[in-house]
Each structure stands twice: as C-alpha cells, then as structure tokens.
Amino acid sequence: MSVFAEKLIAWQQVHGRHDLPWQQTRDPYAVWVSEIMLQQTQVSAVIGYYGRFMARFPTIASLAEAPQDDVMQHWSGLGYYSRARNLHHAAQTIMREHGGIFPQDFAQIQSLKGIGRSTAAAVSVFAFQQPQTILDGNVKRVLARLHAVDGWPGLPLIEKRLWVLAESLLPEKNLPAYIQGLMDFGATLCTRSKPRCQDCPMQGECQAFQQQRVAQLPASKPRKAIPERQTTMLMIMDAGEILLEKRPDKGIWGGLWSFPECKPDQIPVQQAEQRYGMQAESLEDLPVLWHTFTHFKLEITPQPLQLIGKRPGLPQHLQWLPLNDAIAAALPTPVRTLLKTLQQSRY
Ligand code: SF4
C-alpha cells in the first residue's frame, strides 16, 4: 500500500466523516442518490434534501414510477436540475433494462444517464467494494498538489495524468475508507483557498508543500482573451445642440440614446452626408475610449463634427438635443462620458 493510502486511511479514521446518512447503507440506489446530490453541492446542503428524497422515493421503482414534477419538486432549491432529470431517467432505464436491480458491472453503471466515471467508481466502491477510484474536483486538487502537477486539471491531458496517478495510489484493502478519505481530505483539509498544511499528515509526501507552491497548484482555468470590437461615434453638433440616435430595443444598449456610429474604415463626414444628407466638417479628435462588456471590449473613436448649412428633416429616432438635456437623457456610460468631455471642451 502506498504511504499516501496508508496515511489517508489513518487520517480518515480519526478526522473523516462517519455519520452521514448515506454512509449507513450499502444500497447502491441510496449511494447513487447521495453521490449525485453531492456533485457541486456541499454535504451540509445535501443532508436535508437526501432525507426527504429517500423518504418519498425509497426505491428505484418508486423513483421510476413517479411523475417528473414530483421528482423536480423534491430537488427544488438544490440546483443543477439536469441531475434530477437524469436520476429519474436512469431509474426508468434500470427498471426497463436491468429488471429493477442496480447493475454491478462498471461499464453498465457508467452507461446510465448522468453517471460519469467518478460517480460510477464511488457507487462501485461503497456498494459493491469493487476496486475503482474517484477523481472529482477535490481529488484533482489534492493529487495536483501532492505530485506538483502543472496545468489546469480540466485539460484532457492533465486529467488523464491525474487518473493514472489516482489509479496507481489505490490500495488493495480498506477501499471504502480510502475513497471516503479522499473525499473528506479534499473537502475539509486540503481545501482550495485555505489548505491547512500545518495540520496535514502528507507534508512529507506533498511536493507542492516541499516546493512552496501550494497557492499556485492546481493551475486555474486559463482565461479566454476577451475579443475587441471597434466603432466610430459621430458627434454631430449644431448651434449648441447635438444629434443623438435612439438604439433599437434589442442588442447592446437597447433603447438608450447614443451617437450615430460608423465602422472604423468609413469616413465620418461621408457617412453624415450619405445617411442623413448633412454637410459637416471634422473637428479636433477626442481621445479614444474603451468600454468593457461581458463578452467583448469596445474601442470607441469619437469623431466631433460640425454641421454646415441647413438641418435636414430626420426620422423620429434621431433628435437634436441641447448638450445639457442630452447629458440628462437615458445614455450608456461612455456616451455620457463623451458628452461631458464635449461640455468641458471648447466646442
Ligand atoms: Fe494539501 Fe498542504 Fe497537505 Fe499538501 S501539505 S496535501 S497542500 S494540505
């Protein structure tokens, strides 16, 4: 048995969890329900739901026969509702294809809807004492630290490496205590943001601890670069008033007042003439402005223009407003910023 497995089992016996409701049974159905509920959800939040769910659906048959609304109602508030729909679906599969008996074959367990490799392994170990290992988020973190595995564990290559590590550490006996220990160790001691290394029996084995890289491991999910877009805003002025355009209800800044816009490769004075029949001349540039949306960054090039000659007739969504009224209108932040800049400038 690896030193890690030996120490983990010893740690679990003293510090691990032993009295959770689903630990008092080897019924694969009960273990399965608890494992699904525990995905992305803390033990303390699961306990009440688990009790109510098992009281209402004590067997695979009772779950399979229940109306979906009833199942969803017993999951209501727990979140990630596809878990409940998948449980219901899988219970019906077990009734139809396995005679109502939870399968023991690992591949058959994994083929049930909503059961991945790690959940199948937990059910196999706790219900059938089969030698399988788990690799949920907590275990990935623990193994990445113990073995100083660089790279984000969500990457297929890193995940594969962690599965190999997890399998190599699996002991031959005391499997349920070991797997429960893995779960408890990651959830209570080697936590994501505040690992209690000072209390940890693995200090001697933990490479992250030895290399003083605990805070850096495991690596975070790489952030995607936010795409950038460009626009030119036409700030057309005439006799102390400015032209604003009401944006369509759909899309960014829907229903707000803004400046007419054109693409960066278009010439603003030409656009004013072609679109609105306005003769205008360019005034001195204002500094470029950046605005960040959730999914992209917008580079705004403001182009002040002075109307020359008569104002043409305009459709309703275009209006001339005195500068002060324009600033008080329903505007996106960067447009208000630009209007204020204009107000303070010599225009
Ligand atoms: Fe986790 Fe710290 Fe223990 Fe390493 S020493 S396994 S980082 S708690």
Side-chain angles (χ1 to χ4, degrees), residues 144-213:
R145 284 176 176 164
L146 272 166
H147 296 269
V149 176
D150 288 305
W152 177 51
L155 291 172
L157 208 70
I158 308 295
E159 193 173 344
K160 210 170 161 188
R161 190 168 160 210
L162 292 172
W163 270 116
V164 172
L165 271 173
E167 279 170 347
S168 72
L169 293 167
L170 198 65
E172 280 166 11
K173 52 183 187 180
N174 273 345
L175 268 176
Y178 173 80
I179 295 295
Q180 186 64 50
L182 267 184
M183 292 173 169
D184 296 347
F185 189 80
T188 65
L189 191 93
C190 190
T191 59
R192 188 175 59 82
S193 53
K194 288 184 188 153
R196 292 189 288 114
C197 300
Q198 70 281 6
D199 302 325
C200 181
M202 308 295 178
Q203 279 181 10
E205 289 73 39
C206 179
Q207 291 184 34
F209 183 79
Q210 305 284 336
Q211 298 169 13
Q212 300 185 347
R213 295 173 64 211

Side-chain angles (χ1 to χ4, degrees), residues 13 38 44 70 76 78-79 105 112 123 126 137 142 156 158 178 194 215 232 247 260-261 273 290 304 325 327 331 346:
Q13 272 151 10
L38 286 165
S44 54
D70 201 359
S76 176
L78 204 50
D105 178 79
L112 294 169
V123 178
F126 292 132
V142 170
I158 308 295
Y178 173 80
K194 288 184 188 153
T232 300
R247 299 183 65 92
E261 291 177 33
E273 179 160 15
W290 284 93
D325 292 359
I327 289 170
L331 308 169
R346 60 190 175 84

Side-chain angles (χ1 to χ4, degrees), residues 235 259 286 289 291 327 331-344:
M235 305 171 71
F259 300 112
L286 290 178
L289 204 69
H291 187 75
I327 289 170
L331 308 169
T333 307
V335 173
R336 180 167 287 110
T337 306
L338 286 173
L339 284 170
K340 285 184 176 169
T341 309
L342 208 60
Q343 195 180 38
Q344 287 157 11

